[in-house]
Amino acid sequence: MRVLVTGGAGFIGSHVVAALAARGHEPLVFDVREDPVADVRDPAAVGRALSGVDAVCHQAAMVGLGDGVADAPEYVSRNDLGTAVLVAAMAEAGVRRLVFAGSMVVYGEGRYECPRHGVVRPGPRAVTDLDAGRFEPVCPVGGEDLTPGLVGEDTPPDPRNVYAVTKLAQEHLAAVWARCTGGSAVSLRYHNVYGPGMPRDTPYAGVASFFRSALARGEAPRVFEDGRQRRDFLHVRDVASANVSALEATTPAGVLTAYNTGSGEPHTVGEMARALAAAYGGPEPVVTGEYRLGDVRHITADSSRLRAELGWRPQVGFPEGMREFARTGLRGD
């Protein structure tokens, strides 16, 4: 296949390009990092790039939590306007296959079970609780302690920050495109992606990048809250292979299919910081008790649908991935 990879020069996109080429496909990079006019928000540029293309792998996005709503216009422009321009151009060009970078953030908080009230969905955490160091959500019915679990794709979305809202809007745009054109759209809802080539020292870098940058400066990684937040850390090469699997699979036409894309092995943020520091050679992480509004406490997903339907399996385990990440540099080093 001839595959246009938007954001193909970025962290995840560059690994997708390499994985596609290794499978014998012809990836075409569309990225402002390589060409200033290759802006996914430019209909003319996107239209030209789609000539002769069989499928699109859409990785171009502004990522990260952001800062309140101050950068909402930039997020909406890059993520939602960019996706709208892309799917409109695909409809015009007759390209009917789309795989794109979704995100686990569309769910908000993860799945929780109360011993008295069963599965519940807590609301956003209160500033007063966070200031007092009470980081765990409680049952919204009776205030009981909750047990976190795995989120399935059928869980209703509940985005808790601007970035999350834009990722959900991208899915809606892709779903409308699929219905209107009979095309096939797949959203891979990524977990916390890490690995070689992560960007460093930007407001939108992932937590693994922040920890790795601190270690490179000889500083202790600073772990927010109490370090017990549960996440699923997925190596970037496994994310790339998931994209290739989705592009090669026969997926339903006329609808959006969403797949949770995680390793299936939840770890806490504190565990990740300690593993990375140990692999790098110190210093030990420091748990600060600080927090960011809009962060969720626990979010880990059930990725069994992706394994069952597409036959994808992650290949890089957590210890191995942390050792490799400790040895490799970040983009911008």
Side-chain angles (χ1 to χ4, degrees), residues 3-292:
V3 183
L4 183 69
V5 184
T6 70
F11 167 44
I12 296 175
S14 61
H15 286 272
V16 172
V17 167
L20 283 167
R23 288 282 295 174
H25 299 291
E26 183 185 356
L28 305 175
V29 174
F30 186 83
D31 196 307
V32 291
R33 298 172 186 87
E34 290 199 346
D35 181 355
V37 303
D39 190 330
V40 75
R41 296 168 293 184
D42 181 343
V46 174
R48 289 191 298 269
L50 287 171
S51 177
V53 163
D54 302 304
V56 173
C57 188
H58 183 32
Q59 305 296 317
M62 183 175 179
V63 301
L65 177 63
D67 181 18
V69 295
D71 43 13
E74 191 70 8
Y75 271 109
V76 171
S77 175
R78 291 180 181 271
N79 296 352
D80 299 339
L81 176 59
T83 300
V85 169
L86 175 65
V87 296
M90 289 176 66
E92 178 70 20
V95 180
R96 296 293 181 260
R97 192 158 195 79
L98 171 65
V99 174
F100 67 96
S103 176
M104 291 295 302
V105 295
V106 300
Y107 296 120
E109 283 287 353
R111 183 182 187 276
Y112 292 89
E113 190 162 348
C114 172
R116 287 189 59 197
H117 303 102
V119 175
V120 295
R121 170 159 284 194
R125 296 180 293 173
V127 171
T128 52
D129 287 336
L130 295 170
D131 286 341
R134 295 188 295 268
F135 302 119
E136 292 287 348
V138 296
C139 177
V141 180
E144 293 88 355
D145 291 339
L146 300 175
T147 301
L150 300 180
V151 179
E153 287 92 346
D154 296 331
T155 301
D158 183 19
R160 300 284 176 95
N161 56 61
V162 168
Y163 170 63
V165 169
T166 66
K167 297 309 288 183
L168 183 58
Q170 284 184 294
E171 291 194 352
H172 290 318
L173 287 164
V176 170
W177 166 82
R179 285 195 297 271
C180 290
T181 65
S184 167
V186 172
S187 172
L188 296 174
R189 291 174 175 169
Y190 299 161
H191 254 291
N192 291 64
V193 184
Y194 74 96
M198 281 193 85
R200 60 162 297 175
D201 296 337
T202 78
Y204 310 105
V207 64
S209 174
F210 288 134
F211 292 167
R212 177 63 176 74
S213 294
L215 290 165
R217 296 191 301 267
E219 300 172 1
R222 295 175 60 82
V223 180
F224 280 14
E225 300 187 18
D226 58 5
R228 295 174 183 160
Q229 312 93 298
R230 285 162 49 99
R231 299 291 189 270
D232 186 328
F233 299 99
L234 182 64
H235 195 279
V236 67
R237 287 197 298 274
D238 287 330
V239 173
S241 71
N243 277 273
V244 176
S245 294
L247 283 162
E248 293 179 341
T250 301
T251 50
V255 297
L256 170 77
T257 306
Y259 291 108
N260 292 335
T261 308
S263 73
E265 297 180 359
H267 292 273
T268 68
V269 172
E271 280 182 87
M272 189 269 283
R274 290 190 296 273
L276 188 57
Y280 191 85
E284 284 288 310
V286 174
V287 178
T288 68
E290 298 172 86
Y291 64 86
R292 296 191 307 178

